[in-house]
Amino acid sequence: MSESTTADPRGFFERNHYLLRRLHSLSGVVPIGLFAIIHLTTNSSIVWAAILTEKGRTVTDRTVATFQEEVYFIHNLPFLIFTEVFMLWLPILFHALLGIYYAKTGKANTDRYSYQGNWRYTLQRVSGYIGFLFILYHIATLRWGWTFLVPGGTRWEYPYAASTLAACLRGGVGEVTMAGILISVFYFIGVTMLVYHFANGLWTAAITWGLTISQKAQQRWGVVCTALGVTLFAMGASAVLGFATLRPDEALRIENRVMPTDKRVELQREGKLKPNPGEPRSADAVQTH
Amino acid sequence: MISTFTTSESLAAARAANRRAAVAGRTVIFRIKRCDGPGKPSRWEDFKVPVPVGANVISCLQYIAANPVTADGKPTTPVVWDSGCLEEVCGACTMLVGGRVRQSCSALIDDYAPAEGDVITLEPMSKFPVIRDLWVDRERLFHNLKRVKAWVPIDGTYHLGAGPTESPDQQGTRYKLSECMSCGCCLEACPQFNLEEKPDMWDTSFIGPHAISQARLFNMHGTGKVLADERLDALMGMGGVSECGNAQNCVKVCPKHIPLTESIAAMGRATTIHGFKRFFRG
Ligand code: HEM
Ligand code: SF4
Ligand code: SF4
Ligand code: FES
């Protein structure tokens, strides 16, 4: 379009302003938002599997086994680290850094104009900040193994997905500690903020891209986004509550039981197989299915 | 409705209740944010004004101009304000009345200060530089209309003949948009539009909902269309339509009830299409 041969004197951000804003909007929906839906569906299985599956004898049997099997499925996906870096971590970093930059261009004025829409706008920014802190903590502790940030110092390990996650939330493998309660509350707030951020973001994205124009259309899409938000909130809340009330020792027995043989052999070779609570480490050395 | 949120209806109801309760022959305190000139510090001054039935903010400002004495009896300079039509069509008298932006000429005292000794605050708009007292410089608002070429290009050397005919539907939409009086209420209430004193920053700062809506108006005009691509290019630049954060305050405070948020979404769609075309055309 531009016929000029001289270089554009404007900086990178100025030249690509519109494209960057649209990529910001897009990245919030796919891949980040889509991932959030999948992620919360998986994690809330610690509650819904009690009703929707028939595995095992007790409720905990069903939920832990289902969750653990989902984790195996994810960890057996090909090129997982590639997917994580390019479909998750980099998009989140891109969206968050630009999000903070964009958020700083505005000045909240809910004190003078306390319209509902103005609160939505302000909360979209606040939830972005809090959500970003939460995601950083969440990935750093559970994925990158920064155990010094975990009360109780538990390292999350995927063959022990439920028990180690519960221990990270509860402040250790034993009874819930005060620090554990704080971490669980932080998870609840973080997840709730991000669910709001995604639901409201989906609503504004439709305006950004010009899908919903008339006020009627915006209202209708608002109903859809609210319904999605309420559903995701229910899933997020059950995930946090489900793991915060799960006993790590009980979960560990189930994880050992459902562990595939090749995984068991591999963990044994590396000396990482955890004994069932109350049993000596050597006792499980010969057990296979 | 949830009462903790302000709605247009709750505001209107509160004002109507005040109006019904208004006491005749009362004196009202005008608390005015004053400033002697650009860059000078601001200060508050109170004035006692006897309020006749049907008084509005401008008629009371006229009283203060004729009697420039503060409530505690000290002589002061007359308060300066801007106005034109006195019937809510020119936008010049826009200021914060009781903390919220609106036209002061149509602001009835009965709506805000119904009882003896009630206080009504007046402040200049905060998103434009103050010239003096309640008078601000709205130059950036007009500058931003130029950024989107908010006009129909008809200047030429020969008669162009009659313009294209228009459907009643399109006419209805455009008529509503054409009612904008460039008052600045939408900009004052917008959290994404903020004071920018340096004119060389104007071209990269948020253009504002009024200009986005005017770009839509002229892109729908049979002859104005010829500049459509240029308007969309401007809206895709720094400070363009994507700077809007969808707080939707603008549409709530617009005195002409212009569907600004629909215009913003419509221009979001138009720039999306324009962007794809530009991408594939090179
Ligand atoms: C991790 C989960 C996240 C998801 C699913 C998500 C999703 C979204 C979506 C769908 C939008 C709407 C885009 C639009 O209106 O066009 C959005 C907007 C936004 N996001 Fe996020 N986001 C996430 C994280 C973050 C983080 C960590 C920040 C950092 C502070 C952030 C800051 C923002 C801001 C400021 C906006 C508003 C942009 C605007 O209105 O122009 N987001 N987000
Ligand atoms: S919808 Fe956009 S333009 Fe209107 S007040 Fe909100 S941020 Fe400003
Ligand atoms: S759009 Fe409404 S609020 Fe904004 S300048 Fe025009 S008339 Fe005023
Ligand atoms: S003086 Fe023209 S709108 Fe008030």
Side-chain angles (χ1 to χ4, degrees), chain A residues 1-2 10 13-14 17-19 21-22 101-103 105-109 112-121 125 203-216 218, chain B residues 1 4-8 11 96 99-101 123 188-192 194 204 233 236-239 242-243 245-249 252-253 261-262 265-266 268-269 271-272 278 281-282:
Chain A
M1 173 114 178
S2 79
R10 298 173 304 165
F13 280 97
E14 209 178 324
H17 169 82
Y18 188 80
L19 182 64
R21 297 280 326 210
R22 285 303 163 92
Y101 169 73
Y102 295 146
T105 62
K107 252 199 211 123
N109 59 2
R112 276 187 199 265
Y113 303 98
S114 61
Y115 297 116
Q116 195 182 334
N118 205 18
W119 279 107
R120 268 198 308 89
Y121 162 91
R125 275 120 191 100
W203 185 75
T204 56
I207 299 173
T208 302
W209 293 83
L211 297 174
T212 52
I213 292 184
S214 73
Q215 206 158 4
K216 271 241 171 62
Q218 294 185 11
Chain B
M1 275 310 291
T4 44
F5 295 124
T6 310
T7 61
S8 310
L11 277 176
L96 307 187
R100 302 172 65 89
V101 72
E123 298 160 76
E188 177 66 21
C190 172
Q192 290 291 119
N194 290 299
T204 50
D233 282 340
M236 288 170 72
M238 206 61 171
S242 52
E243 223 77 43
N246 295 304
Q248 307 205 330
N249 288 353
K252 301 263 170 41
V253 298
T261 46
E262 297 191 2
R269 176 181 290 184
T271 53
T272 303
R278 215 167 59 169
R281 201 171 52 202

Side-chain angles (χ1 to χ4, degrees), chain B residues 252-282:
Chain B
K252 301 263 170 41
V253 298
C254 174
K256 297 296 163 194
H257 307 290
I258 294 170
L260 293 166
T261 46
E262 297 191 2
S263 289
I264 290 165
M267 294 326 264
R269 176 181 290 184
T271 53
T272 303
I273 295 166
H274 185 63
F276 275 113
K277 275 193 195 152
R278 215 167 59 169
F279 181 81
F280 288 110
R281 201 171 52 202

Side-chain angles (χ1 to χ4, degrees), chain A residues 246-262:
Chain A
L246 178 69
R247 294 194 57 93
D249 48 1
E250 202 181 331
L252 180 59
R253 274 179 220 281
I254 301 161
E255 287 158 351
N256 271 336
R257 205 183 64 227
V258 301
M259 189 177 292
T261 311
D262 53 343

